[in-house]
Amino acid sequence: MNTSFPLNKKRTPGRSRVACTFSVLLLMFAVSFTLSSCGSDSDETDGIVIPPEDAAECVTAAQEAQTRKFIEKNLVEIATLSTFVSDNYQVKVYSTKPTLHVGYNDLYFTVVKKATGNHVKTASFGNFHPLMSMNGGAKKHSTPIGKSFDQVEQMPIYHTWASFLMPTDVASNSVWFMSFNYSIKGHTVEVPDLPFTVEALPQGQAWLKNFKYNDTVYFLTLVNPGKFITGNNVIEAYVSKKAADMTQPFPLADETFSIDIYPTMPDMGNHSSPNNVGLTKQPSGIYQGQLNLSMTGLWYIRLQVKDSSGTVIAGGENYAEGMGMLYWEVTL
């Protein structure tokens, strides 16, 4: 059956208007759907496009957008550590502050494609090795570090930490270097010594202390005290053991200690605060307790370290007896 209209056949005006109206509505729906779809995609990916040559080894556009947002919101790039380029890749290193400092520092590592800046999804890191060269290399030592690189929230970002013993001193030619490696698709690249700067903490902040036990030096690293608030806080720390070869990174101590805490305010008659709970070792290796800082100001968090049998091996509560000389300093 021929359903086409003869050219000379007169069309019904009403039917023509209905068809026209339907066509307009259909067009408006199509435009609306297209704009809605584009808007949704833009919200998810921020317009990021992963080219075909990157698709096999880089994260998706949505994951790339999530990663970039996380970095922009939480991290600051350490430029001197993000200079290494190998083949088609660049390593980027971040922290939570613009500069690294004595004591605990969070460090975040990623690998991106040099041409596009898109993040590689299969990278892994190892052999993390900070090293300080003192007096032009006359003496060298490393520092306490984290035991692994841990992936952050299923993003292509890998976290570890370092607790630097002392600041850079350009006048005496005492400087820090960092080396590590990264692996992609079974291929490992050694990143050579990269120079970086460690700054001293301001007066009233001392987050790294040490004690000696059985002829071995141990380091007590207080984790992120800059996040403490007035009132109750979760307090966390790591206990590291000086390496036999001090040029090698200092690992977490295998021994299990307990650490009693006695916060006092030296500028307020050494008054303390109630409801503190000493630090005990967790399965992850971190030590955790509860700290109550009842007001703003300078606090000495006095430490008393006990071995696994409960014997006091370092520090103490009573400053007058000389045992309380082991303490972190925190200023709110």
Side-chain angles (χ1 to χ4, degrees):
M1 179 182 296
N2 184 4
T3 58
S4 62
F5 291 103
L7 293 177
N8 60 349
K9 186 173 182 178
K10 187 175 181 181
R11 299 177 182 177
T12 304
R15 181 179 296 174
S16 177
R17 284 195 297 270
V18 169
C20 181
T21 301
F22 177 78
S23 298
V24 170
L25 289 174
L26 184 61
L27 178 62
M28 291 175 63
F29 174 78
V31 170
S32 175
F33 177 80
T34 301
L35 290 175
S36 175
S37 298
C38 290
S40 175
D41 183 69
S42 177
D43 290 342
E44 184 180 3
T45 66
D46 287 342
I48 294 171
V49 176
I50 306 297
E53 60 270 21
D54 282 5
E57 59 181 337
C58 290
V59 297
T60 66
Q63 292 169 326
E64 182 65 33
Q66 178 193 17
T67 300
R68 295 186 188 185
K69 287 178 182 178
F70 178 87
I71 291 172
E72 181 179 357
K73 180 179 179 181
N74 300 288
L75 306 180
V76 181
E77 186 173 352
I78 307 300
T80 56
L81 296 175
S82 296
T83 59
F84 184 78
V85 177
S86 173
D87 299 327
N88 298 318
Y89 306 99
Q90 179 177 3
V91 177
K92 289 184 175 289
V93 183
Y94 302 87
S95 188
T96 53
K97 302 292 182 182
T99 57
L100 303 178
H101 52 73
V102 173
Y104 182 88
N105 295 261
D106 287 302
L107 293 166
Y108 298 83
F109 293 69
T110 67
V111 178
V112 300
K113 292 296 289 290
K114 182 174 63 175
T116 61
N118 293 323
H119 288 80
V120 175
K121 61 186 175 184
T122 58
S124 61
F125 293 86
N127 288 349
F128 177 49
H129 190 173
L131 183 68
M132 188 178 203
S133 174
M134 301 182 66
N135 301 319
K139 184 178 181 181
K140 296 181 180 181
H141 66 79
S142 189
T143 204
I145 66 168
K147 65 180 180 179
S148 62
F149 286 85
D150 300 315
Q151 189 172 5
V152 178
E153 298 179 6
Q154 298 183 329
M155 292 182 290
I157 304 173
Y158 302 87
H159 169 263
T160 192
W161 60 269
S163 183
F164 300 115
L165 298 184
M166 58 185 64
T168 298
D169 184 356
V170 177
S172 66
N173 197 16
S174 297
V175 294
W176 284 95
F177 297 91
M178 184 182 295
S179 63
F180 53 91
N181 64 38
Y182 71 91
S183 299
I184 298 175
K185 297 182 292 186
H187 179 60
T188 299
V189 178
E190 300 288 340
V191 179
D193 293 333
L194 300 174
F196 65 98
T197 299
V198 173
E199 296 188 352
L201 285 171
Q203 185 175 0
Q205 305 283 5
W207 305 342
L208 176 65
K209 292 298 175 81
N210 65 78
F211 65 92
K212 197 170 185 178
Y213 173 58
N214 288 341
D215 295 324
T216 300
V217 177
Y218 294 82
F219 294 88
L220 299 167
T221 295
L222 180 59
V223 175
N224 286 331
K227 295 182 179 180
F228 287 167
I229 61 172
T230 303
N232 292 319
N233 297 271
V234 174
I235 181 172
E236 294 181 319
Y238 286 106
V239 181
S240 304
K241 189 174 186 176
K242 185 178 179 180
D245 177 358
M246 65 185 301
T247 66
Q248 295 301 307
F250 304 169
L252 297 185
D254 293 329
E255 299 91 336
T256 297
F257 302 102
S258 59
I259 307 169
D260 295 332
I261 55 175
Y262 305 96
T264 64
M265 296 196 78
D267 298 334
M268 303 289 290
N270 284 317
H271 79 73
S272 187
S273 63
N275 304 321
N276 299 286
V277 178
L279 292 92
T280 56
K281 193 174 186 179
Q282 307 301 306
S284 66
I286 200 170
Y287 284 72
Q288 193 174 89
Q290 294 287 329
L291 172 67
N292 179 28
L293 301 177
S294 55
M295 60 188 297
T296 59
L298 172 64
W299 288 88
Y300 286 177
I301 305 173
R302 303 191 187 281
L303 308 170
Q304 180 173 264
V305 184
K306 300 176 182 177
D307 64 15
S308 57
S309 66
T311 301
V312 176
I313 59 174
E317 176 181 6
N318 194 337
Y319 180 82
E321 294 178 357
M323 292 291 288
M325 295 300 291
L326 182 63
Y327 56 86
W328 293 310
E329 296 179 37
V330 174
T331 301
L332 291 184

